């Protein structure tokens, strides 16, 4: 595709509900990154894939957060038993792997009520 | 510990003026320093980037100045325009890891 596509754009979840956020990277991009951006803050790293391999998940805030990229293209970030502190914009970025120029999607704004 | 420190938090500049945003880092293994621009409701977009072997890079009205010995780099926006009003993030990256962002600077250019 022409850009990184994320869905849904907005998600409202009741506390305790599970959510799944989807990222479609640019076709052919090897590396995929998830970031969390709280209101008024910079993006914070969550996890990183190279093809289907999750190389770094050190930024995932708790074991309620889980990410996968089973076929090396589309990725899903899952949050179980959502809490209010999970409210943020979740950004996905991709790069073909040989350069450092990340292309970001527009994000999914998650609000936990 | 914040690895990339950005200042100021907010900035108001008159149209036609120069906007300057500063960042400092500690990790000398960083080898790529980009600046991102973010508009409300959008993801960050790469604006300009520099490697540590270069002291300055210019692209149009945007210039990065890099001081390796001081571990600082800055973004200069010349002839600032209302359309430049956005949030700007500096970032840094070490090979094999992910981008680390500063906390951002909200720029308002008044007409």
């Amino acid at each position: 595709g022409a850009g990184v596509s994320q869905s849904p754009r907005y998600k409202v979840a009741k506390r305790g509900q599970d959510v799944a956020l989807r990222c479609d990277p640019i076709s052919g991009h090897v590396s995929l990154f998830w970031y969390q951006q709280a209101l008024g803050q910079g993006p914070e790293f969550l996890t990183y894939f190279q093809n289907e391999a999750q190389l770094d998940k050190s930024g995932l805030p708790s074991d309620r957060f889980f990410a996968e990229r089973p076929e090396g293209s589309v990725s899903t970030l899952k949050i179980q038993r959502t809490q209010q502190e999970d409210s943020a914009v979740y950004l996905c970025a991709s790069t073909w792997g040989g350069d450092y120029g990340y292309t970001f999607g527009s994000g999914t704004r998650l609000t936990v009520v | 510990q914040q690895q990339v420190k950005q200042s100021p938090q907010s900035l108001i500049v008159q149209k036609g003026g120069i906007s300057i945003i500063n960042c400092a880092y500690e990790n000398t293994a960083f080898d790529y320093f980009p600046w991102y621009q973010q508009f409300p409701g959008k993801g960050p977009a790469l604006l300009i980037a520099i490697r540590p072997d270069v002291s300055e890079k210019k692209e149009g009205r945007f210039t990065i100045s890099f001081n390796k010995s001081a571990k600082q780099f800055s973004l200069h926006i010349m002839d600032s325009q209302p359309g430049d009003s956005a949030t700007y993030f500096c970032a840094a990256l070490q090979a094999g890891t992910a981008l680390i962002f500063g906390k951002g600077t909200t720029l308002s250019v008044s007409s």
Side-chain angles (χ1 to χ4, degrees):
Chain A
V4 177
S5 178
Q6 292 189 245
S7 61
R9 285 298 315 277
Y10 305 92
K11 177 70 179 177
V12 178
K14 291 185 178 179
R15 190 168 52 182
Q17 193 175 3
D18 296 351
V19 297
L21 313 180
R22 177 186 168 104
C23 173
D24 280 89
I26 292 173
S27 179
H29 275 196
V30 168
S31 299
L32 185 147
F33 305 83
W34 283 98
Y35 284 80
Q36 180 190 60
Q37 187 174 24
L39 190 64
Q41 299 295 312
E44 296 274 350
F45 170 74
L46 293 176
T47 187
Y48 149 49
F49 292 86
Q50 188 167 309
N51 295 307
E52 68 277 6
Q54 189 173 21
L55 298 188
D56 187 348
K57 54 181 181 180
S58 62
L60 295 176
S62 78
D63 59 7
R64 296 186 295 105
F65 287 70
F66 172 76
E68 60 183 6
R69 194 185 185 199
E71 297 178 358
S73 56
V74 171
S75 177
T76 304
L77 177 67
K78 297 179 180 178
I79 308 173
Q80 297 177 324
R81 305 182 303 282
T82 52
Q83 303 294 314
Q84 281 194 313
E85 62 262 29
D86 300 335
S87 295
V89 174
Y90 291 85
L91 295 164
C92 176
S94 70
T95 177
W96 64 266
D99 73 338
Y100 291 166
Y102 292 20
T103 301
F104 281 86
S106 292
T108 294
R109 180 176 295 279
L110 173 65
T111 303
V112 181
V113 297
Chain B
Q1 183 184 0
Q2 192 180 348
Q3 295 199 50
V4 181
K5 294 184 179 180
Q6 184 172 346
S7 62
Q9 188 174 349
S10 63
L11 183 60
I12 300 174
V13 173
Q14 287 209 332
K15 181 181 174 181
I18 302 173
S19 303
I20 302 174
I21 305 170
N22 301 298
C23 277
Y25 64 96
E26 287 299 322
N27 185 354
T28 56
F30 287 144
D31 64 354
Y32 176 75
F33 301 88
W35 285 90
Y36 280 80
Q37 180 188 56
Q38 186 176 32
F39 292 104
K42 300 292 187 183
L46 179 64
L47 196 59
I48 187 171
I50 199 167
R51 300 270 187 177
D53 54 343
V54 176
S55 62
E56 184 175 284
K57 183 174 181 181
K58 183 176 181 180
E59 290 184 1
R61 296 185 295 110
F62 302 93
T63 300
I64 298 179
S65 296
F66 187 84
N67 186 330
K68 189 173 182 178
S69 60
K71 292 187 284 186
Q72 296 175 347
F73 58 110
S74 60
L75 175 69
H76 295 234
I77 306 174
M78 312 299 288
D79 187 26
S80 299
Q81 299 296 312
D84 297 331
S85 298
T87 301
Y88 293 81
F89 295 97
C90 62
L93 185 144
Q94 175 183 351
T97 66
L99 269 177
I100 296 172
F101 286 84
K103 289 187 178 293
T105 297
T106 301
L107 172 65
S108 296
V109 181
S110 61
S111 54

